[in-house]
Amino acid sequence: MTNFTKPQLKTIRAAMQSALERLNYEGMTFTVANCTYNGGEATYKVNVLLDGAETKEQKDLTQMAKLMGLDTSKIHDYQGMSFSLVGYKSKATKMPWIVQDLKTGIEYKLTDAQAEEGFKHERV
């Protein structure tokens, strides 16, 4: 066998993530991210985040929310769920906003219009 299969790559990713978590470096979080592969060669991206530091998505959220007049501290209730803005992906042109369900921790993507509808600053 000279080519990786997707299940193999998923297993490798999980093993790498587990090994990095066992290192237990104080003040750091490791995340095994994107994987690219071609035949029998695979490359994984590993993100390291210092405790208290902001991710790129969090920094971009602060900037874009200010530009669009969105309130990042607002909680939006929708169909019995509560959502909070947690990130912005500048390369995702159709659905750049990231919200998180506060009960389950699951993240969802929103369009600009959906983000404005749920998180626009209230005018007094």
Side-chain angles (χ1 to χ4, degrees), residues 40-59:
E41 180 180 10
T43 304
Y44 289 86
K45 180 177 177 183
V46 176
N47 294 326
V48 182
L49 183 66
L50 292 172
D51 289 350
E54 288 186 322
T55 65
K56 180 182 181 329
E57 286 84 9
Q58 290 169 329
K59 289 177 187 175

Side-chain angles (χ1 to χ4, degrees), residues 55-82:
T55 65
K56 180 182 181 329
E57 286 84 9
Q58 290 169 329
K59 289 177 187 175
D60 290 348
L61 171 65
T62 303
Q63 277 187 313
M64 290 305 296
K66 188 174 183 178
L67 283 173
M68 292 191 60
L70 302 183
D71 185 354
T72 58
S73 64
K74 186 175 181 180
I75 305 299
H76 177 61
D77 293 318
Y78 180 75
Q79 294 184 350
M81 297 183 281
S82 298

